[in-house]
């Protein structure tokens, strides 16, 4: 409707606003639906404050930003499908390139409990999203406005506002910061005990099972600490020996706990007398760590998880933990012996 | 007679390519046919009158006010109904939505917009298709929906670029009736169909290479044929060809 819009009596921005609003609404409705579904399936098990408005607002800001970019760039393409395609693609590229936590900080739609959204930095990003929306509204289409003047001034002002908003985002700093440790921790009633942030309450049953499996490790070989803590619970952000629950993965938590148990049980790590000795020593340590992880996780590495200590056959470890206890003890003893036989340099 | 639109020394073109050089035209109330071969500058002239492109030179006055800025153009546009040759529409819109949206674009007061949209749609014979989606309309119906969008709000200046393309004979007759029924309106009708001009126009203008080569009544144009041996199957066609300087 290029010509009809061009000869309309409405100021161009009044025509653009409902068009952009419609595009944005599609994105926000989809985002809200996804959020509601996630909340609905989580709310019963989740702890208090599991849904953080800061991340939701940041996500909504990203939707507005993407819709605005699509609206802005899509006008140079005749196809009606251009706006959503460009909105999706440009935002994917832009967020991947400069949206990470280290840059503009838009690409952080969730976070671990030990970090929190900084209100000032969040507001700066929302202002940027609003500024880009204004840009999409005030920058004239290739076919109009017919007479230049006020519309050009508005467009230039909106460009300036976007630039100022970018400066504001950079000045506001990272969108996330470390969160203060909670006054009370949520721990399993087991020995050893495993403590998590209140927001992770829904994982407690799995951690109780994990703690019981840790307690069932052969005590003559394995020495388990009395407690394990999720990252940040003891203050100061990430700390060696504390585990994290990455994307809800109990395996990742088991890896963290397994390494702590391994460090407490194995001879002190050191370089061997020569590279081959060092390699043998670390290979044995890695294998024991992997075995402990598989034991406390209740099985081998899940198919959706990859990586792990170098040189360790995870499939072999998964088979090992299904063998009789005596066989596993013998296997661990051999590796402990191997570690002990290799003297430190 | 009082001119709804007036052009004085109009210069128009695209970039360095000049399409219209120094055109004067007063458009009073009545129906004005715009004839001319392809590339004569008819659409450029209509778009200029519609304020879709600013004049490169000269002045354009709509309803007594000169159009010189976006603000004055917006004010003038409240008085202009324009149907482009290839008009756009949102396929998912119903006919009513489309016409109502055009009413909104033209600042037709919200209280009147509904009735205006309904009246316009009914006047082009699409009353039974008020809620049919635009993408489901035939070519002729689509054209009529376009005409409805142009006349909504009863503009003082109605600019129609090839409005009868795709209409069957009965629809063309209905269209002519509609044009005749418009009172207090200056209608500029760009067309290739001289029958339409003969049927409804008070004035006919023939353009060639951005200039008016004839201005007069349809009767005057037909009379041109008496002076030459121009080609054509009717006196008006021969008069048109004569005005263009095309002989047998």
């Amino acid at each position: 409707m290029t010509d009809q819009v061009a000869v309309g009596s409405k100021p161009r921005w009044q025509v653009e606003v409902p068009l952009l609003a419609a595009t944005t609404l599609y994105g926000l409705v989809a985002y809200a639906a996804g959020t509601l579904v996630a909340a609905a399936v989580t709310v019963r098990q989740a702890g208090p404050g599991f849904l953080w408005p800061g991340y939701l607002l940041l996500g909504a800001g990203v939707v507005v930003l993407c819709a605005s970019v699509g609206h802005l760039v899509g006008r140079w393409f005749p196809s009606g499908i251009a706006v959503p395609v460009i909105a999706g693609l440009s935002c994917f590229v832009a967020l991947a390139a400069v949206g990470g936590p280290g840059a503009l900080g838009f690409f952080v739609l969730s976070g671990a409990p030990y970090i929190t959204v900084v209100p000032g930095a969040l507001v700066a990003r929302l202002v940027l999203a609003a500024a880009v929306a204004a840009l999409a509204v005030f920058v004239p289409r290739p076919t109009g406005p017919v007479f230049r003047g006020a519309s050009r001034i508005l467009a230039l002002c909106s460009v300036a506002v976007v630039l100022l908003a970018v400066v504001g985002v950079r000045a506001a700093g990272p969108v996330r910061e470390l969160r203060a440790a909670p006054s009370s921790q949520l721990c399993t009633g087991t020995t050893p005990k495993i403590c998590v942030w209140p927001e992770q309450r829904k994982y407690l049953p799995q951690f109780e099972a994990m703690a019981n499996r840790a307690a069932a490790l052969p005590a003559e070989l394995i020495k388990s600490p009395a407690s394990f803590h999720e990252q940040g619970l003891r203050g100061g952000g990430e700390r060696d020996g504390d585990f994290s629950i990455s994307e809800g993965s109990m395996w990742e938590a088991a890896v963290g706990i397994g390494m702590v148990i391994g460090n407490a049980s194995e001879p002190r790590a050191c370089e061997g007398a020569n590279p081959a000795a060092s390699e043998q020593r670390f290979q044995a340590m890695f294998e024991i760590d992997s075995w402990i992880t598989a034991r406390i996780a209740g099985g081998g590495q899940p198919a959706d998880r990859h990586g792990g200590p170098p040189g360790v056959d995870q499939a072999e470890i998964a088979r090992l933990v299904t063998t009789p206890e005596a066989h596993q003890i013998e296997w661990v003893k051999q590796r402990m012996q191997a570690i002990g036989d290799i003297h430190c340099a | 007679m009082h001119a709804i639109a007036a052009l004085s020394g109009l210069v128009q073109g695209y970039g360095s390519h000049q399409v219209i050089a120094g055109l004067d035209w007063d458009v009073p109330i009545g129906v004005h046919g715009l004839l001319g071969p392809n590339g004569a500058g008819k659409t450029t002239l209509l778009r200029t009158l519609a304020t879709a492109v600013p004049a490169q030179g000269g002045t354009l006055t709509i309803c007594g006010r000169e159009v010189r800025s976006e603000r004055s153009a917006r004010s003038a546009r409240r008085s202009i109904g324009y149907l482009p040759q290839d008009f756009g529409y949102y396929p998912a819109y119903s006919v009513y939505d489309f016409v109502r949206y055009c009413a909104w674009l033209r600042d037709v007061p919200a209280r009147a917009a509904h009735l205006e949209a309904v009246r316009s749609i009914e006047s082009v014979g699409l009353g039974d298709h008020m809620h049919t989606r635009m993408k489901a309309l035939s070519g002729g119906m689509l054209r009529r929906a376009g005409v409805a969008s142009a006349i909504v709000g009863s503009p003082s200046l109605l600019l129609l670029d090839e409005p009868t393309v795709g209409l069957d004979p009965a629809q063309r007759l209905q269209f002519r009736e509609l044009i005749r029924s418009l009172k207090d309106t200056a209608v500029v009708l760009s067309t290739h169909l001289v029958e339409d001009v003969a049927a409804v126009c008070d004035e006919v203008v023939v353009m060639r290479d951005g200039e008016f080569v004839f201005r007069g009544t349809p009767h005057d144009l037909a009379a041109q044929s008496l002076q030459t041996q121009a080609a054509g199957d009717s006196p008006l066609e021969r008069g048109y060809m004569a005005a263009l300087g095309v002989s047998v």
Side-chain angles (χ1 to χ4, degrees):
Chain A
M1 297 188 64
T2 309
D3 264 350
Q4 291 107 306
V5 170
V7 300
S9 313
K10 296 276 182 199
R12 195 57 184 250
W13 66 267
Q14 285 188 21
V15 179
E16 299 292 350
V17 164
L19 295 174
L20 175 58
T23 307
T24 307
L25 191 63
Y26 278 118
L28 288 176
V29 165
Y31 180 60
T35 304
L36 284 173
V37 169
V41 300
T42 315
V43 68
R44 196 171 284 182
Q45 302 156 307
F50 78 104
L51 206 56
W52 288 11
Y55 287 117
L56 293 181
L57 283 173
L58 191 60
V62 169
V63 171
V64 172
L65 187 71
C66 292
S68 302
V69 169
H71 191 80
L72 183 65
V73 182
R75 67 191 56 185
W76 279 280
F77 298 85
S79 167
I81 199 73
V83 171
V85 168
I86 291 170
L89 284 180
S90 61
C91 277
F92 181 78
V93 172
L95 290 181
V98 295
L104 290 180
F106 273 102
F107 194 34
V108 275
L109 303 181
S110 64
Y114 66 91
I115 48 180
T116 188
V117 175
V118 182
L122 171 64
V123 168
R125 280 148 183 85
L126 295 180
V127 168
L128 176 59
V132 174
L135 189 71
V137 165
F138 289 121
V139 165
R141 290 178 180 251
T143 52
V146 176
F147 297 87
R148 290 171 178 151
S151 54
R152 176 176 277 190
I153 294 170
L154 277 172
L156 289 174
C157 286
S158 57
V159 170
V161 169
V162 167
L163 294 176
L164 284 174
V166 171
V167 172
V169 166
R170 299 309 301 256
V175 76
R176 298 184 301 180
E177 66 181 6
L178 292 174
R179 190 180 174 197
S183 53
S184 63
Q185 299 174 355
L186 194 61
C187 299
T188 60
T190 54
T191 303
K193 69 176 180 181
I194 300 178
C195 301
V196 294
W197 284 85
E199 285 84 349
Q200 312 279 37
R201 187 179 67 186
K202 70 172 183 176
Y203 299 114
L204 269 187
Q206 289 158 278
F207 279 117
E208 282 182 4
M210 202 178 282
N212 289 333
R213 286 191 289 269
L217 290 169
E220 67 272 27
L221 292 169
I222 302 300
K223 299 177 185 65
S224 176
S227 62
F228 301 92
H229 295 85
E230 189 182 357
Q231 289 284 6
L233 267 184
R234 295 188 281 181
E238 294 187 9
R239 177 189 287 218
D240 280 349
D242 288 350
F243 65 89
S244 62
I245 310 169
S246 175
E247 296 172 351
S249 169
M250 284 296 103
W251 174 259
E252 296 300 329
V255 168
I257 293 171
M259 285 179 66
V260 174
I261 296 175
N263 287 342
S265 308
E266 297 153 2
R268 186 174 59 87
C270 66
E271 291 292 334
N274 55 61
S278 289
E279 190 174 332
Q280 284 177 4
R281 186 181 179 92
F282 283 112
Q283 177 70 22
M285 292 171 71
F286 289 154
E287 286 180 343
I288 292 172
D289 288 349
S290 298
W291 170 77
I292 295 170
T293 299
R295 280 290 296 257
I296 61 176
Q301 187 172 17
D304 64 340
R305 293 282 148 182
H306 303 283
V312 177
D313 184 350
Q314 291 292 343
E316 183 58 36
I317 297 294
R319 277 192 293 274
L320 175 67
V321 295
T322 61
T323 60
E325 186 74 0
H327 178 259
Q328 293 182 51
I329 289 171
E330 187 58 35
W331 183 90
V332 175
K333 278 182 177 172
Q334 285 174 6
R335 274 139 191 86
M336 290 286 192
Q337 183 69 44
I339 295 168
D341 288 347
I342 299 168
H343 299 290
C344 294
Chain B
M1 190 183 283
H2 171 65
I4 299 295
L7 297 171
S8 176
L10 175 75
V11 178
Q12 188 57 285
Y14 300 99
S16 60
H17 176 61
Q18 198 171 70
V19 178
I20 294 171
L23 211 61
D24 299 313
W25 191 24
D26 284 351
V27 187
I29 289 170
V31 183
H32 308 265
L34 196 55
L35 290 173
N38 289 334
K42 302 189 300 293
T43 296
T44 300
L45 178 57
L46 280 188
R47 297 190 79 227
T48 306
L49 283 167
T51 74
V53 282
Q56 286 187 347
T59 58
L60 165 65
T61 307
I62 304 287
C63 294
R65 289 187 179 177
E66 189 180 342
V67 178
R68 303 196 282 198
S69 63
E70 182 66 18
R71 177 174 289 187
S72 59
R74 280 209 307 270
S75 173
R77 287 169 193 156
R78 293 193 181 95
S79 310
I80 301 172
Y82 175 45
L83 176 66
Q85 192 171 347
D86 297 310
F87 69 96
Y89 57 87
Y90 296 117
Y93 271 17
S94 68
V95 173
Y96 174 80
D97 292 338
F98 171 64
V99 177
R100 182 76 174 73
Y101 183 60
C102 289
W104 180 80
L105 285 174
R106 280 233 305 282
D107 260 350
V108 175
R111 280 178 296 180
H114 168 71
L115 286 177
E116 276 288 329
V118 170
R119 184 189 62 77
S120 302
I121 293 166
E122 286 177 343
S123 67
V124 298
L126 286 178
D128 294 339
H129 295 279
M130 196 85 70
H131 302 293
T132 304
R133 286 179 188 269
M134 294 292 285
K135 64 184 176 187
L137 298 180
S138 67
M141 293 162 86
L142 207 53
R143 208 73 203 159
R144 284 189 281 159
V147 172
S149 76
I151 63 173
V152 70
S154 304
S156 302
L157 177 63
L158 181 60
L159 307 167
L160 305 172
D161 200 352
E162 303 285 358
T164 52
V165 169
L167 300 188
D168 62 32
Q171 290 167 348
R172 282 174 61 195
L173 290 175
Q174 188 186 17
F175 169 76
R176 290 172 189 171
E177 279 304 309
L178 171 68
I179 296 298
R180 284 193 199 101
S181 72
L182 296 173
K183 307 296 180 193
D184 303 324
T185 306
V187 182
V188 179
L189 180 66
S190 171
T191 182
H192 282 104
L193 303 172
V194 291
E195 307 96 300
D196 288 342
V197 170
V200 296
C201 291
D202 304 305
E203 181 193 36
V204 57
V205 174
V206 179
M207 279 189 86
R208 187 186 63 197
D209 298 332
E211 295 179 346
F212 289 168
V213 293
F214 175 83
R215 276 182 67 184
T217 64
H219 183 266
D220 293 338
L221 183 61
Q224 295 270 310
S225 65
L226 301 175
Q227 301 161 14
T228 62
Q229 292 293 309
D233 294 328
S234 67
L236 206 60
E237 277 185 356
R238 286 194 291 276
Y240 168 65
M241 297 302 276
L244 290 176
V246 181
S247 54
V248 178

